[in-house]
Amino acid sequence: MRKRIGIVGAGTTGLHLGLRLLQHGVEVALFTDRSPDEQRRSRVLNTVAHHAVTVERERALGVDHWPVEEFGYPGHEYRVGPGPEPTAFAGRLPSPSRAVDYRIYQPRLTEDFTEGGGELVLGRLSRDDLPSLGARFDLVVVCTGGGPFAKVFDRDPAHSPHTRPRRLLSAGLFTGIAQRPVPQVTFHVSPRAGEMIEIPTWTDGGQVMALVIENHPGSDLEALAAIPYEDDPAGYRDLALNLFREHYPACFERIDPSEFGPLDGPRGILQGAVTPVVRRTHTVLDDGTVVLALGDAHVTVDPLLGQGANMASHAAWVLAEEIVRQDVFDRRFVEHVDMRRQDRVLSAARTTNLLMENLETLPEDFLGFLGELSRNRSLADEFTEWFNYPERFWDDLADPRRTRAWIARHTPAPG
């Protein structure tokens, strides 16, 4: 049976879906408003690391152009508190993760898609174009949650407890930060002020450090998101260095101030905020064509735990398998897709929201949890592995009783 699938949005979600469908001989058209060359010249798209489960899917798709043996990193370090004796611990990943500048990654995969027989359609679309897409395709998949498609899928209040951003964000690719002897992601926490994640990231010019700077509204770190970099680059650099010295000293001590700054100047930094939201999974056009939400169009998470692209790739893989398996794309088809993707996707959203809340309020149970991680390497390793499987985060963090039971499983019995 001939199947025709239209995908709106050529980010990682749409690309992984499209590439997987091509492997199964499904006819696919990918709609985007930027060509590969325009993507290469754009402002930094995000600061994303792909965990091992996503890298494994890339291998299966034949697009693992950046093998983790050369481009990956083997673990995380966590530092809570800027004082003289912060809580610090490290965790190993069972298989390495990897971060590549998306201005390299997405154009390359777009070219893989067209070389594999996919149709790339350039141009701007709006929600008004959905009926014409529905007339052409058996199923329309929307993978972009912003712009004109932001309101195609209604907010799901049962899974969306927040109506405003929890963090004010500044993020980008930065030069002048010395790499560690063994590359690793470092999570810095300045209690009740902010968090910063360092991610060793490969660019056209080699490896630099991506910084995801999560600033609590009302803290002095808020200025990193509120003051536009373009207005005074030198002043912004001095501001960042002063705040890093106070809040993130373990990063500051590796910075060369004369070299520090966003790669590509204003093109290398993003400032803004994200409102976490879960949206309805689909809508149905007047002619009966299903329009399915995928990736950011379905669930938008704060980047604190780096789950967005990884959970979206998982959902894209699930959707591709159901498209291949089924011949009718109706509400029952959507139920099958939702049942298979929702545990990982919703767990990623719930865990991210929970950790953001705990890092703001620092309840005693959470502080005890961090202490246990710092004392027990087995716990820290498993906690780090959870970045591949956010449902395991939620299994053991959803309730303090679950967390205590998880810790007990990793604690040797006395005597």
Side-chain angles (χ1 to χ4, degrees):
M1 177 180 176
R2 182 187 180 205
K3 299 175 183 179
R4 300 166 301 169
I5 309 300
I7 304 172
V8 179
T12 298
T13 314
L15 288 165
H16 283 201
L17 173 62
L19 287 162
R20 185 60 171 165
L21 292 174
L22 289 179
Q23 288 184 323
H24 288 278
V26 177
E27 181 181 322
V28 187
L30 190 61
F31 294 82
T32 179
D33 60 358
R34 286 191 293 186
S35 69
D37 285 341
E38 288 172 325
Q39 289 179 326
R40 292 185 179 98
R41 297 192 301 267
S42 74
R43 180 186 289 268
V44 63
L45 299 173
N46 50 37
T47 49
V48 170
H50 286 191
H51 305 313
V53 288
T54 301
V55 173
E56 187 62 32
R57 285 189 287 270
E58 291 164 345
R59 292 193 188 106
L61 292 171
V63 296
D64 182 25
H65 305 300
W66 306 272
V68 294
E69 293 78 14
E70 179 180 356
F71 297 93
Y73 56 86
H76 295 173
E77 182 181 61
Y78 310 87
R79 300 181 65 88
V80 182
E85 296 184 7
T87 299
F89 55 96
R92 291 179 293 256
L93 290 162
S95 298
S97 298
R98 180 205 63 219
V100 176
D101 185 349
Y102 261 34
R103 293 174 295 182
I104 301 171
Y105 180 88
Q106 289 187 348
R108 179 65 187 272
L109 264 66
T110 302
E111 291 164 351
D112 290 330
F113 173 79
T114 57
E115 290 168 5
E119 179 186 359
L120 184 68
V121 183
L122 297 176
R124 290 188 176 274
L125 294 176
S126 73
R127 61 185 302 172
D128 295 335
D129 293 304
L130 289 176
S132 63
L133 294 176
R136 177 179 171 186
F137 298 103
D138 301 305
L139 174 70
V140 178
V141 184
V142 175
C143 302
T144 175
F149 292 92
K151 296 184 178 180
V152 171
F153 307 99
D154 293 336
R155 174 177 173 271
D156 183 349
H159 300 298
S160 302
H162 305 299
T163 57
R164 61 177 178 82
R166 302 299 304 273
R167 298 291 190 270
L168 303 176
L169 302 173
S170 45
L173 301 172
F174 285 82
T175 58
I177 306 175
Q179 299 287 345
R180 298 177 184 274
V182 177
Q184 64 183 5
V185 162
T186 304
F187 286 79
H188 304 268
V189 177
S190 183
R192 297 190 174 91
E195 303 83 36
M196 185 171 74
I197 304 98
E198 295 184 64
I199 307 170
T201 300
W202 286 91
T203 72
D204 279 330
Q207 192 177 65
V208 301
M209 196 66 75
L211 298 181
V212 183
I213 310 171
E214 303 248 345
N215 310 295
H216 295 195
S219 77
D220 58 345
L221 287 167
E222 179 180 343
L224 292 172
I227 297 175
Y229 171 82
E230 293 92 335
D231 289 357
D232 182 6
Y236 189 93
R237 179 199 62 210
D238 292 342
L239 170 70
L241 289 172
N242 287 332
L243 289 171
F244 288 6
R245 181 188 292 110
E246 177 183 355
H247 292 278
Y248 308 123
C251 176
F252 175 79
E253 65 188 17
R254 304 194 336 271
I255 293 177
D256 178 350
S258 66
E259 299 292 333
F260 176 72
L263 182 71
D264 303 327
R267 292 174 56 241
I269 189 169
L270 300 169
Q271 295 172 280
V274 173
T275 299
V277 63
V278 176
R279 300 181 180 90
R280 303 295 184 186
T281 63
H282 71 288
T283 189
V284 180
L285 301 176
D286 290 342
D287 68 353
T289 302
V290 167
V291 180
L292 191 77
L294 191 69
D296 283 348
H298 177 210
V299 178
T300 302
V301 294
D302 185 276
L304 178 69
L305 296 181
Q307 290 299 316
N310 292 280
M311 70 180 189
S313 171
H314 166 77
W317 198 266
V318 165
L319 175 58
E321 290 180 339
E322 291 300 323
I323 289 172
V324 171
R325 187 176 71 86
Q326 300 195 49
D327 294 328
V328 178
F329 305 124
D330 57 0
R331 293 184 189 274
R332 178 58 178 160
F333 166 82
V334 174
E335 288 179 348
H336 280 283
V337 173
D338 287 350
M339 284 187 289
R340 290 189 57 195
R341 66 175 169 173
Q342 69 178 0
D343 191 27
R344 179 162 298 180
V345 170
L346 291 181
S347 293
R350 291 164 171 168
T351 304
T352 302
N353 288 339
L354 174 67
L355 288 182
M356 284 195 296
E357 176 70 24
N358 283 341
L359 288 167
E360 289 177 18
T361 61
L362 298 177
E364 287 299 320
D365 281 336
F366 182 66
L367 292 174
F369 167 70
L370 294 176
E372 293 289 346
L373 291 176
S374 70
R375 291 186 290 271
N376 187 326
R377 184 60 186 257
S378 175
L379 286 173
D381 286 347
E382 186 167 329
F383 177 80
T384 302
E385 183 182 7
W386 286 347
F387 282 79
N388 282 284
Y389 306 102
E391 62 273 23
R392 298 181 190 173
F393 265 123
W394 194 241
D395 281 346
D396 291 319
L397 297 183
D399 185 285
R401 293 169 296 178
R402 287 179 170 269
T403 306
R404 290 192 292 270
W406 174 66
I407 291 170
R409 291 197 300 271
H410 288 265
T411 304

